[in-house]
Amino acid sequence: MRYGDFASLCERSALPVCRLFGDAVLPSCHLNVYDAGSAVFVNLPDFVMSILAFFFVGYLAFRAHRKIDAVGRREMTLLLSFFCVLLVFNLVGADFIYSSGQANRWLGAVNTALVVSFFWMLFTFGAVGFQIMADGSLKSMLSIIGSTAIIFIGMGYIAADTAFGISNGLKPKPSSPLQSPGVFTIYLVIPLVAIVLFAILQTTIVVKFLSARLPLVWLMCSFICFAAGQGIMFGASKKMCQGTNHRIDGAFFATLLDTAAVSCIYGFWSAITVDDSGVYEEDEYKF
């Protein structure tokens, strides 16, 4: 497989990013479809899971907001709320196919930009614990929201240019209609780098400033859940679809495990922001 080639990925699983390359780009095994007027319902199990995940993560965001004395509570609330937005666009842009080809491509571009933006926000949230700026302050919130907006616009342009050939510089060549090194980089490589940097930042905080090591269990569980979700989505989705007679595929489990990964990040944050836990070695350090 050449770098930037989405042919095998889109053939195995129904990724929203595949919408960038046209309506005909569908996995070789797709689920049972249901007519919904101007759209076709293509993934009912993932639609239901996305709704359940939305309410669950929304509840976690409410819990985070209520932790008045917890350091980084506004940033955590923002991160969880952004994941809820991503879930909404996931079910709108991935679980339906619309009669308008342009609508499908635009939703694919927006979804791609949101995915990259979420992982950027995750990375910036990982830096909150170092108190570069006072957590919860206007400066801290604006830096996260502003930088995420810039990432969203930039990544959205790359995705839209790939889909519509705005500049004719990123649109795939007719000889390789599913090859896009730019989209491959932003959709797969950048999130992976952000995850690694987030892991390094959080591990540094726990090891350097905290006497307890239990929060690392939450962190490890988060990475395991995320890796398992991506592994199922990319490696087992086609076999699941075939084995269940087109009733369920890897998208259902990817949404479930991604939600579990985000929940574990909330658990990690909650474990290191308990005011009376007694795990801080230095009173001047806070997260």
Side-chain angles (χ1 to χ4, degrees), residues 65-83:
H65 181 70
R66 291 289 298 271
K67 284 178 167 285
I68 303 300
D69 296 328
V71 180
R73 73 178 181 92
R74 290 181 177 175
E75 290 83 356
M76 172 54 77
T77 303
L78 180 64
L79 180 68
L80 294 174
S81 299
F82 195 88
F83 186 74

Side-chain angles (χ1 to χ4, degrees), residues 222-242:
S222 176
F223 297 140
I224 291 173
C225 287
F226 177 77
Q230 301 312 298
I232 291 174
M233 185 69 174
F234 293 119
S237 185
K238 181 177 178 180
K239 292 183 179 179
M240 283 184 177
C241 176
Q242 295 170 340

